[in-house]
Amino acid sequence: SINVSGSNLTSNVTITGSASYEVSTTSGSGFGSTATLSQTGGTASGMIYVRLKSGLAVGTYNESVSIASTGATSQTVSCAGSVTAPPSPILNATPTSLIGFTYAQGSGPSASQTINISGSNLTSDVMVMPAGNYEVSLSMASGYSSMISLMPTAGTLASTMVYIRLKAGLTVGAYAENISVTSSALSQTISVTGNVTKIGRAHV
């Protein structure tokens, strides 16, 4: 804020912002390139609010705001400010590999295992996407699907447990695949390894 006053004035006081700063006579609204402080009986007094405009590029902004009234000596107020780069997003998914997903043919799915996912300064949801033969859920007992979405709160994803299992109905064989965890142009890969075994034969 700038405290402005004048006496023996013949016109209102005009406050002019700059290329990067805007002004208002109220603290929360009405900001623009100029603001007017009315004079009454040649006297004017009041507070003018100055702020750095939105949408500016990262950098330093050292400019001036001018204060003028017809016939009076103009005043300038220097303003120094900066726009900083947003903090870098962080995405964590641990552990980075899981092994031992297994079941005998016809008895799937496998038992579930877990990964822990967290993040900060995120600008989009966290997507957890397994390859075709694995499925994920936020509950150990139900809700398994080919993808889940985790929504950050104010850019932060608190530590979240995700359950992974090898799908039922697969043929005998080994299944070494990846699970992708992505958000805000970041990506983590969890390698998962499992197998479906043959059913043992009974012998007499």
Side-chain angles (χ1 to χ4, degrees), residues 3 56 83 90-91 96 185 197:
N3 195 351
L56 298 174
V83 176
I90 297 172
L91 179 64
T96 58
T197 60

Side-chain angles (χ1 to χ4, degrees), residues 89 123-124 182-187:
T123 58
S124 63
T182 61
S183 177
S184 305
L186 300 176
S187 180

Side-chain angles (χ1 to χ4, degrees), residues 10-21:
T10 60
S11 66
N12 294 333
V13 179
T14 299
I15 300 88
T16 304
S18 64
S20 305
Y21 290 86

Side-chain angles (χ1 to χ4, degrees), residues 30-50:
F31 282 88
S33 58
T34 63
T36 300
L37 190 63
S38 299
Q39 61 88 20
T40 303
T43 299
S45 179
M47 199 74 74
I48 297 297
Y49 298 89
V50 184

